[in-house]
Amino acid sequence: MSLLPSGDTQGHPSVSAAPAEPCAGAPSHTARRWSLDPLLMMLAAMAVAIAMTWAIPSGLYQRASDKENAPVVAGSYHPLPKPISAAALIPHDGPKGVAHPVSPLALVTAIPQGLLKTAPIMIMVLMLGGMFGMLRTSGALDAGIRRLLAISGGRPVVLVPLLMLALSAGSTFLGMVTEYLLLIPVIVTLGRDMGRSTMFGFALVTLAAKVGYLASVTNPFALLIAQPIAGVPVFSGLWLRLSIWVLFLGIAMVVVLRTGRGAATPAPLDAARLAPRHLGILLVAGVTLGTMIYGSVALGWKEMELASVLIAAGAIMAAIARMAPARAVEVFVEGMHRMVLAAVLVGLGRSVDLILREGQILDTIIEAVTLHIQGMSPFAVAPILMGVEMLLTLLIPSTSAKAALSIPILVPIAATCGVSAQTTVLAFLLGNGLVNMFAPTSGMLLAYLATARISYSGWFRYLLPLFALFTALSVSALLLAVATGY
């Protein structure tokens, strides 16, 4: 059986992904039976995290500083006493130097804490929904898609490689992921007009972004933290990461091209030129995306600055579309409403991380792994390191937090086994990227799914064969790295 998925394997009828439109058609009985509600998934992940704090001993490494996500000091691990009693069922602050299991009440209390920690990201996601609502209601989006289809002749074999190359390049060279929330409804709508399923458009954006982040050719968010901690020059070792990116992206393109054929009736090609106001609104959307990229990469803008850009863009679009002020506000708020679930999922993802940190068990997991890999063959250690990072990615979605915790510990241990620091960084990138393709604890992935209105179970089934293939190729890349002294 081929490892490459063919067709839309969601298991339910395709629906429109446009935030301003209701889902078309009711899901089948099979879809309702197997669908996993993303909010319930996050609550389940929180419950599992709480249980882990009761089952796993607590311990700590010393940190290089008091800053959040500061690198740990290798060899400094020490266990912490963790008395188990009925008192642990009630949230409390224990004495310094003593750990405690997380109270089951954290299933409630950790939710507002996670939302508070991620409030800037949530605000940006809501403003993104408002701006997209303006873009769609103005009619500019539909007009632009029809024009793009006419230019390309409606041929996916032309559009898919160009779009995926552009999106994945932004991810692998600049670390762009969050910004693509803006594009998911656009590409999903484009796919529907090409006669493809909802999964086609979603996979086009998501696989391009995830493959780019997996390879991280020059991704500053991963390499500016991991490589200095490992003691290798920033952006060094580029040749192997570039090769992995080209190979994986080519495979992903083939998978997307085979997805969702005949799921809808293609829209008729319209060779008419864009109306001036539609062209102006689309130019505003393009300038907005470029401004967000430049501000994030060159000016160090964070979520609040990016949210301000989205608000301004929405106002300019309303002016070009000649919307009455009351109507413009109504459209913007409706767009925000469509993104509430995506925003909340981002916050719940952080709640899981807060629970694990409070229970102080992450350092214990790293210490247990390092004790078991000492003295092993480098050809066995390199894939094991990737497996460790895959496990940590399920527990810690944050790339920077994982790097600060794991790299200082794993690099010296791996070196004693003959695995170079550069290969350890590669194992970190591959493990992080592979699991982030489907991690149920990744609030951003669940936000992607909520934006496109695709179930997690549908995405998981679609992705599983490709994930297995990418994992096997990643292990091969690590063995090549060890063999060549990378």
Side-chain angles (χ1 to χ4, degrees), residues 114-257:
L115 297 178
L116 182 61
K117 288 284 188 179
T118 56
I121 301 178
M122 294 173 63
I123 291 172
M124 186 191 74
V125 170
L126 292 175
M127 297 307 105
L128 182 63
M131 192 211 76
F132 184 82
M134 200 71 68
L135 178 65
R136 186 60 187 266
T137 304
S138 69
L141 176 61
D142 291 336
I145 287 176
R146 288 195 301 269
R147 182 60 182 161
L148 182 60
L149 286 173
I151 293 173
S152 66
R155 292 173 293 175
V157 72
V158 174
L159 285 176
V160 168
L162 291 177
L163 291 173
M164 292 189 71
L165 179 62
L167 296 175
S168 195
S171 179
T172 202
F173 293 113
L174 301 176
M176 294 172 58
V177 173
T178 306
E179 294 84 351
Y180 293 158
L181 270 173
L182 171 66
L183 298 177
I184 287 177
V186 179
I187 303 300
V188 165
T189 304
L190 173 64
R192 296 288 295 171
D193 285 349
M194 295 168 68
R196 296 298 184 104
S197 66
T198 302
M199 184 65 82
F200 168 83
F202 178 79
L204 190 157
V205 178
T206 305
L207 288 181
K210 296 299 184 181
V211 165
Y213 215 93
L214 183 152
S216 287
V217 178
T218 61
N219 175 6
F221 298 104
L223 297 177
L224 286 178
I225 297 174
Q227 287 189 315
I229 294 176
V232 296
V234 176
F235 302 141
S236 60
L238 181 147
W239 68 269
L240 184 52
R241 296 194 302 276
L242 183 62
S243 301
I244 292 171
W245 177 57
V246 171
L247 175 61
F248 282 27
L249 182 60
I251 294 172
M253 288 177 180
V254 173
V255 170
V256 172
L257 284 169

Side-chain angles (χ1 to χ4, degrees), residues 225-460:
I225 297 174
Q227 287 189 315
I229 294 176
V232 296
V234 176
F235 302 141
S236 60
L238 181 147
W239 68 269
L240 184 52
R241 296 194 302 276
L242 183 62
S243 301
I244 292 171
W245 177 57
V246 171
L247 175 61
F248 282 27
L249 182 60
I251 294 172
M253 288 177 180
V254 173
V255 170
V256 172
L257 284 169
R258 297 181 61 189
T259 298
R261 294 172 176 169
T265 302
L269 299 181
D270 184 1
R273 293 186 176 276
L274 292 171
R277 64 185 178 89
H278 288 159
L279 179 60
I281 292 171
L282 292 173
L283 286 175
V284 170
V287 170
T288 299
L289 182 60
T291 301
M292 292 174 67
I293 295 170
Y294 179 77
S296 177
V297 175
L299 304 179
W301 286 358
K302 301 300 181 183
E303 290 83 3
M304 302 308 289
E305 290 86 356
L306 299 179
S308 300
V309 172
L310 292 167
I311 295 172
I316 296 171
M317 289 178 181
I320 296 175
R322 298 179 182 177
M323 286 187 189
R327 175 57 177 162
V329 171
E330 180 185 1
V331 169
F332 198 89
V333 172
E334 287 176 354
M336 291 172 59
H337 174 72
R338 297 288 178 174
M339 296 296 282
V340 167
L341 176 59
V344 170
L345 289 170
V346 173
L348 291 182
R350 185 60 187 272
S351 298
V352 176
D353 179 59
L354 293 175
I355 290 171
L356 294 171
R357 289 177 184 268
E358 182 181 348
Q360 298 178 302
I361 62 173
L362 294 172
D363 293 13
T364 301
I365 295 173
I366 287 290
E367 178 68 8
V369 171
T370 58
L371 291 176
H372 287 86
I373 65 175
Q374 295 183 23
M376 297 179 66
S377 163
F379 290 99
V381 169
I384 289 175
L385 294 177
M386 187 182 80
V388 172
E389 298 296 351
M390 293 173 76
L391 172 62
L392 289 178
T393 301
L394 286 172
L395 304 176
I396 316 172
S398 169
T399 299
S400 57
K402 270 195 305 292
L405 172 61
S406 63
I407 295 294
I409 305 303
L410 296 179
V411 165
I413 299 298
T416 63
C417 302
V419 177
S420 69
Q422 193 73 266
T423 300
T424 303
V425 171
L426 181 63
F428 161 76
L429 295 172
L430 295 175
N432 175 67
L434 285 168
V435 173
N436 263 325
M437 297 175 74
F438 71 89
T441 52
S442 172
M444 188 52 62
L445 173 63
L446 295 182
Y448 270 40
L449 290 167
T451 302
R453 300 182 185 180
I454 287 180
S455 69
Y456 177 84
S457 55
W459 173 243
F460 184 83

Side-chain angles (χ1 to χ4, degrees), residues 54 84-92 100-106:
W54 287 77
I84 305 294
S85 67
L89 298 174
I90 306 299
H92 67 284
H100 59 86
V102 176
S103 167
L105 293 178

